[in-house]
Amino acid sequence: MKIPIIYEDNHLLVVEKPVNIPVQEDESGDMDLLSALKEDIKKRYNKPGNVYLGLVHRLDRPVGGVMVFAKTSKAASRLSDQLRKGKIDRKYLAVLRGVPKKRQDTLRHYLYKDRKKNHVYNVKKNHPEAKEASLEYLLLGTATDTSLLSVRLHTGRSHQIRVQLASEGFPLYGDQKYGRQVNKPGEQIALWAHTLEFEHPTTKEIVRFVSEPPRLYPWELWNEHDQVFKTYG
């Protein structure tokens, strides 16, 4: 498995996650990103024994884009602390079915995850297992009854972007789980982890990493592909 490396130093490994592979080992038994990266480090640096690589955050299996991993326990601890405090700026690009009425908005919902079904539901605030979810979006463009959004997460709930936007009546293009009424089997979900910005765990400088979505449908609907994405990244 060839995984594009965006940046690497003694403490960080930033990569572009391919679509349709799990971030870590799951019941499918398929090769996962974390294991593949550990094996790659082991080979490239001829390391004996087990390789340490800390998982800081996750992306859903069908979603691709930028991810950061920690190569040391110190980096893992400091990055996890930034994530808990909301100091890691995460922005996504998403293609929706339909067009939101507001060009810019903040969405807040309460979500409940049924772990047995691996399905997340939008529930009322008083639900005993509800967790608050918040994001903000900016509408970048529209084309053939779809919309391109830049999305910034305020919280990191499972399936959050997919469920929140579907709850507003705008499921993601290709999302078979939360938009099956408008999406066809075989369509690839159009959600991409576009940018990560955070404080480097040892140098303390602010670092920013970008991953561009593939030049495939529906991303290619926007003629000014590069300029639009780079402007709002």
Side-chain angles (χ1 to χ4, degrees), residues 4 11 19-20 24 27 67-68 90 94 99 104 108 112-113 122 124 134 138 143 146-147 155 158 166 176 232:
H11 300 276
V19 299
N20 297 327
Q24 59 188 136
E27 65 279 357
M67 285 193 72
V68 60
R90 295 167 291 167
V99 181
Q104 192 169 0
R108 291 185 177 86
Y112 157 67
K113 182 173 184 177
N122 177 25
K124 293 183 179 180
S134 175
L138 177 66
T146 63
S147 304
T155 55
S158 183
Q176 309 300 320
Y232 294 96

Side-chain angles (χ1 to χ4, degrees), residues 6-229:
I6 298 172
Y7 174 83
E8 184 177 12
D9 62 20
N10 290 335
H11 300 276
L12 301 179
L13 179 61
V14 183
V15 304
E16 181 175 282
K17 176 191 176 293
V19 299
N20 297 327
I21 71 166
V23 169
Q24 59 188 136
E25 186 177 358
D26 63 13
E27 65 279 357
S28 72
D30 296 337
M31 173 56 75
D32 63 278
L33 183 62
L34 184 61
S35 297
L37 290 173
K38 285 182 178 181
E39 185 63 25
D40 178 61
I41 291 173
K42 187 179 180 70
K43 289 181 178 179
R44 285 193 292 120
Y45 295 103
N46 195 27
K47 286 182 172 288
N50 294 326
V51 171
Y52 178 85
L53 194 63
L55 182 62
V56 178
H57 62 121
R58 293 170 173 79
L59 291 177
D60 292 348
R61 179 171 181 147
V63 179
V66 62
M67 285 193 72
V68 60
F69 293 83
K71 293 176 68 177
T72 64
S73 58
K74 177 189 291 186
S77 176
R78 291 178 178 177
L79 288 173
S80 295
D81 186 57
Q82 288 188 57
L83 188 66
R84 282 193 299 271
K85 294 177 178 178
K87 293 183 177 180
I88 295 183
D89 189 32
R90 295 167 291 167
K91 292 177 74 174
Y92 294 73
L93 291 167
V95 179
L96 315 184
R97 295 286 191 178
V99 181
K101 294 180 180 179
K102 295 183 179 180
R103 180 174 179 270
Q104 192 169 0
D105 201 4
T106 297
L107 303 181
R108 291 185 177 86
H109 297 88
Y110 289 88
L111 305 182
Y112 157 67
K113 182 173 184 177
D114 185 328
R115 297 189 179 279
K116 290 184 179 179
K117 296 181 179 179
N118 191 32
H119 197 101
V120 178
Y121 300 90
N122 177 25
V123 297
K124 293 183 179 180
K125 184 178 181 178
N126 60 0
H127 187 287
E129 296 184 57
K131 293 184 178 180
E132 185 176 5
S134 175
L135 62 78
E136 61 183 283
Y137 74 78
L138 177 66
L139 177 63
L140 305 182
T142 60
T144 61
D145 298 323
T146 63
S147 304
L148 175 66
L149 264 62
S150 174
V151 179
R152 173 181 277 120
L153 285 179
H154 296 160
T155 55
R157 308 305 180 196
S158 183
H159 301 182
Q160 178 179 334
I161 296 174
R162 300 162 66 183
V163 177
Q164 286 199 265
L165 291 173
S167 296
E168 294 293 309
F170 304 103
L172 269 64
Y173 175 95
D175 192 345
Q176 309 300 320
K177 187 181 288 283
Y178 301 106
R180 64 181 60 185
Q181 70 276 15
V182 292
N183 290 312
K184 300 176 182 177
E187 291 177 335
Q188 178 64 46
I189 189 171
L191 179 61
W192 195 262
H194 189 219
T195 65
L196 278 177
E197 186 173 308
F198 53 88
E199 182 184 274
H200 191 285
T202 58
T203 68
K204 305 303 181 183
E205 67 176 316
I206 301 300
V207 291
R208 183 175 181 271
F209 303 103
V210 180
S211 170
E212 303 294 348
R215 295 176 180 272
L216 300 170
Y217 191 88
W219 303 108
E220 64 184 13
L221 286 172
W222 286 269
N223 294 328
E224 297 178 355
H225 182 286
D226 291 336
Q227 189 57 44
V228 167
F229 294 167

